[in-house]
Amino acid sequence: MAFTPGSAVSPSVDIELSLACRGLSGTDVLSKSDPMCVTYVQPFGQKKWIEFHRTETVKNNQNPNFVSKVLISYIFEEKQPLLFEIYDTDSKEKDLSSHDFLGTFTTNLGQLVANKRNKLQLMDRDGNLKSSYLVITAEELGTDRDEIILELSGFKLDKKDFFGKSDPFLEIYKLTDTGNYTLVYKTDVIKDTLNPRWKKFNVSVRTFCNGDYDRDIKIICYDWNSSGDHSLIGEFHTTLKGLADTNAIFKCINGKKKEKKKDYIDSGEIRVEYIKIQSTYTFLDYVQGGTEIFCTVAIDFTASNGNPSNPSSLHFINNNSMNSYEQAIWAVVSIIEDYDFDKQFPVLGFGAKIPPSGQVSHEFFVNMNPQNPHCFGVRGVLDAYRCCINQVQLYGPTNFAPVINHVASIAKNRRDGSGYFILLILTDGVITDMPETIQAIINASTLPVSIIIVGIGNAEFDAMEELDADKGGLKMNGVRASRDIVQFVAFNNYHDLDPSVANLQLAKDVLAEVPKQFMDYMKVNGIVPKKRASQTSSPEIENLKIQ
């Protein structure tokens, strides 16, 4: 952490929590559980639990090792409560009530960090102890931000299936400073072969070996079985340096077979087909390197918001307090303007009849300046919005495609990474041009664009959830969006929070996916920041970065 005289900063370190369960009780009659672990945090000053992380689901396993890690900052002077819940997943539903509850445990991050390896006895909802455990290994992460791209293959692996060959897959473990191994990565399963070639995968050096190129890495090869009781083919130990050796080949050894058979040699080989260790960057590397962030605000002026002169209207202007639209603008734009160099925000309106003739428009400038839609800072955006309410007639329908296409037409001229565009859509209702909107989003997914939709009011927002591609990529006429660019948040979810933290939590959730979407665009297009904070590493490590 940089030393800046005359300032204050909370001391914090990045912590990786590796999760596993032991002895889970099965709720399925004819099979084992399909467990998943959900982690919750309590933000500072709040009593409400907020979901922070979900692991993957491990099929048919009462003793799962989860690949997905909980990455969290540990702040020494804060008590950071954590709640863990284990579920037996029964479907692809995100709603946890659709799954069977298996157990819970509440602790705080400080205790996990102090003990490093924690075996915690799970409880039921009433606080009664169960016979199952949650195992959490806490490890401080190094500062190495490089990434490994690795592709592995098998050669002449043992045949394990009576009526076939084998269905091999790999599990990769790292040795932690507790002396135990934690799962880092699990490959795909290749069916019916003794010579598999697994898919190429990416993993950070921090996750893989915590930046220690000599740390012990254990790789285990299994034959997959639908029951969850996978058959051991063999294993071996290496390091990241060892994997990066030219033509790296490793003998797969099955210890039990070696003990029983005097003439045993090995159970096949694992070969490195491709490895590259490359530099990775952060959102701030690009911003500090000159990438400009542009934010366009689009406001729903359809009649479903209610007559603005009526206090029940979502657009009712009260000089003593902000309406929901104003609160959302303030919460989000006040954060984004810190990254916007000139703090000039184009503000578009849609779904209203506009002066002078009263024609319906789905793409008009809220400041009513036909030549320049820009407003200075968040206060300028709010002033333009308040002035506009008295100059337009709320009408309809609710069409998103025009404002999305407007931003996309500008973004297509800045594909080189010099600019990134955020479209903030504030709306109260159901989209009436859904096919056109989906097509517009798919087209924009190849551009440096993120779309944030904030739902205002009590309407059903099922259509907005559909646009948020967390449940699967958008698809239209056989063409799928190249990346997820939409984030939806319902404003009413924050009404029950303390007003002093509601806006902060809204802004955090609304902007949560933007850095990832930003980085996805840069990565897919091979764009690196113009400059980067200096990092030093030994020549030995630099030599591992195969070009």
Side-chain angles (χ1 to χ4, degrees):
M1 188 175 294
F3 168 61
T4 307
S7 67
V9 63
S10 297
S12 66
V13 294
D14 291 335
I15 298 296
E16 176 187 84
L17 302 180
S18 298
L19 308 177
C21 292
R22 297 293 178 261
L24 293 177
S25 55
T27 58
D28 298 334
V29 177
L30 300 177
S31 65
K32 300 176 182 177
S33 297
D34 304 323
M36 167 185 70
C37 182
V38 183
T39 303
Y40 299 84
V41 299
Q42 271 188 3
F44 184 73
Q46 297 186 38
K47 296 297 184 182
K48 184 177 180 179
W49 290 108
I50 305 295
E51 183 177 330
F52 184 74
H53 176 270
R54 287 191 190 193
T55 67
E56 76 282 9
T57 295
V58 180
K59 295 288 186 179
N60 287 329
N61 201 318
Q62 310 295 81
N63 302 291
N65 296 308
F66 298 104
V67 173
S68 182
K69 312 293 185 183
V70 181
L71 302 179
I72 188 169
S73 292
Y74 169 56
I75 304 171
F76 177 77
E77 68 271 27
E78 287 185 17
K79 185 175 183 179
Q80 296 172 267
L82 295 175
L83 169 65
F84 299 92
E85 291 184 340
I86 313 299
Y87 289 88
D88 177 12
T89 56
D90 294 319
S91 67
K92 293 184 179 180
E93 283 292 323
K94 295 182 69 176
D95 187 350
L96 292 173
S97 65
S98 301
H99 310 293
D100 294 323
F101 174 77
L102 296 181
T104 185
F105 195 89
T106 304
T107 183
N108 64 70
L109 184 57
Q111 291 177 341
L112 298 180
V113 171
N115 295 324
K116 293 188 178 180
R117 183 171 173 82
N118 306 264
K119 188 175 182 180
L120 312 170
Q121 191 168 4
L122 294 171
M123 300 179 182
D124 61 20
R125 297 285 194 195
D126 297 321
N128 301 310
L129 293 175
K130 298 175 69 70
S131 59
S132 49
Y133 294 85
L134 173 64
V135 181
I136 304 177
T137 303
E139 185 171 33
E140 180 180 342
L141 287 175
T143 58
D144 194 315
R145 295 193 311 189
D146 292 338
E147 180 182 60
I148 306 161
I149 306 173
L150 186 59
E151 183 179 15
L152 300 170
S153 69
F155 180 68
K156 292 186 178 180
L157 299 177
D158 281 355
K159 177 179 178 296
K160 306 296 278 189
D161 294 339
F162 186 78
F163 291 107
K165 297 178 182 177
S166 289
D167 304 322
F169 71 94
L170 299 176
E171 289 187 346
I172 302 175
Y173 294 80
K174 69 177 175 183
L175 181 67
T176 69
D177 54 13
T178 65
N180 300 98
Y181 288 90
T182 60
L183 184 62
V184 169
Y185 187 81
K186 184 185 295 184
T187 70
D188 53 318
V189 176
I190 309 294
K191 294 294 187 71
D192 196 27
T193 180
L194 303 182
N195 299 290
R197 184 161 181 161
W198 294 283
K199 291 178 182 178
K200 189 180 294 184
F201 63 91
N202 297 37
V203 63
S204 71
V205 171
R206 292 207 310 177
T207 296
F208 195 82
C209 61
N210 206 4
D212 180 357
Y213 286 56
D214 292 308
R215 178 175 291 211
D216 185 38
I217 301 295
K218 179 169 66 174
I219 300 181
I220 306 176
C221 184
Y222 289 102
D223 169 42
W224 177 86
N225 293 307
S226 59
S227 66
D229 294 322
H230 308 306
S231 303
L232 174 67
I233 293 177
E235 63 181 68
F236 63 93
H237 292 255
T238 184
T239 63
L240 180 51
K241 281 184 181 178
L243 290 169
D245 283 346
T246 304
N247 300 320
I249 299 176
F250 304 93
K251 299 294 185 182
C252 222
I253 304 299
N254 186 317
K256 290 184 178 179
K257 288 185 69 173
K258 187 176 180 180
E259 288 179 6
K260 293 179 180 179
K261 296 184 178 181
K262 294 182 179 180
D263 58 347
Y264 176 81
I265 299 176
D266 59 60
S267 295
E269 295 176 347
I270 303 297
R271 300 177 173 182
V272 177
E273 296 291 345
Y274 179 88
I275 184 169
K276 182 178 182 180
I277 302 172
Q278 62 182 13
S279 297
T280 60
Y281 306 97
T282 67
F283 174 73
L284 288 180
D285 286 333
Y286 288 90
V287 173
Q288 293 170 355
T291 298
E292 296 183 82
I293 305 296
F294 302 97
C295 178
T296 298
V297 181
I299 302 173
D300 181 343
F301 287 99
T302 57
S304 56
N305 284 280
N307 191 325
S309 63
N310 191 319
S312 65
S313 171
L314 295 171
H315 281 306
F316 179 71
I317 301 299
N318 183 338
N319 291 327
N320 296 320
S321 62
M322 291 184 176
N323 64 33
S324 295
Y325 277 89
E326 292 174 302
Q327 290 179 54
I329 290 170
W330 180 266
V332 179
V333 177
S334 62
I335 298 294
I336 295 175
E337 74 174 357
D338 288 339
Y339 300 95
D340 190 295
F341 179 73
D342 61 6
K343 304 190 188 309
Q344 295 286 344
F345 296 95
V347 186
L348 308 178
F350 59 91
K353 290 184 176 182
I354 63 173
S357 62
Q359 76 273 20
V360 177
S361 176
H362 297 289
E363 182 190 344
F364 63 90
F365 297 166
V366 168
N367 64 1
M368 295 300 163
N369 182 339
Q371 306 301 322
N372 183 4
H374 293 84
C375 303
F376 181 76
V378 64
R379 293 192 179 277
V381 175
L382 289 171
D383 289 344
Y385 162 72
R386 288 192 167 207
C387 186
C388 179
I389 286 292
N390 297 318
Q391 299 183 64
V392 302
Q393 182 180 18
L394 274 58
Y395 199 68
T398 306
N399 293 348
F400 281 11
V403 294
I404 295 174
N405 290 330
H406 174 94
V407 172
S409 67
I410 301 170
K412 69 181 182 181
N413 299 315
R414 301 291 290 270
R415 296 173 184 262
D416 61 352
S418 61
Y420 194 85
F421 297 79
I422 299 172
L423 171 59
L424 172 63
I425 301 177
L426 307 173
T427 183
D428 83 310
V430 177
I431 303 173
T432 51
D433 66 338
M434 193 65 169
E436 293 82 1
T437 293
I438 291 176
Q439 188 61 61
I441 292 171
I442 291 173
N443 294 341
S445 69
T446 63
L447 301 173
V449 171
S450 285
I451 300 170
I452 299 168
I453 304 173
V454 178
I456 307 292
N458 297 312
E460 292 292 333
F461 291 113
D462 292 347
M464 312 301 177
E465 296 282 4
E466 182 180 342
L467 296 179
D468 191 330
D470 288 344
K471 295 182 179 180
L474 286 178
K475 189 176 181 180
M476 174 71 72
N477 298 325
V479 179
R480 190 177 295 276
S482 64
R483 60 191 182 90
D484 173 21
I485 64 169
V486 178
Q487 168 78 341
F488 169 73
V489 172
F491 183 80
N492 273 0
N493 290 348
Y494 304 87
H495 280 180
D496 294 335
L497 296 179
D498 186 309
S500 63
V501 299
N503 282 355
L504 293 176
Q505 190 63 48
L506 170 66
K508 178 182 177 182
D509 292 347
V510 164
L511 298 172
E513 291 190 18
V514 170
K516 180 183 182 302
Q517 293 171 1
F518 177 103
M519 294 301 300
D520 285 347
Y521 175 81
M522 298 301 178
K523 190 171 183 178
V524 166
N525 291 278
I527 299 170
V528 300
K530 293 180 181 178
K531 61 181 180 180
R532 183 183 180 188
S534 60
Q535 279 190 313
T536 59
S537 57
S538 68
E540 185 179 36
I541 290 177
E542 289 299 323
N543 290 337
L544 283 174
K545 296 183 181 180
I546 303 166
Q547 303 300 320

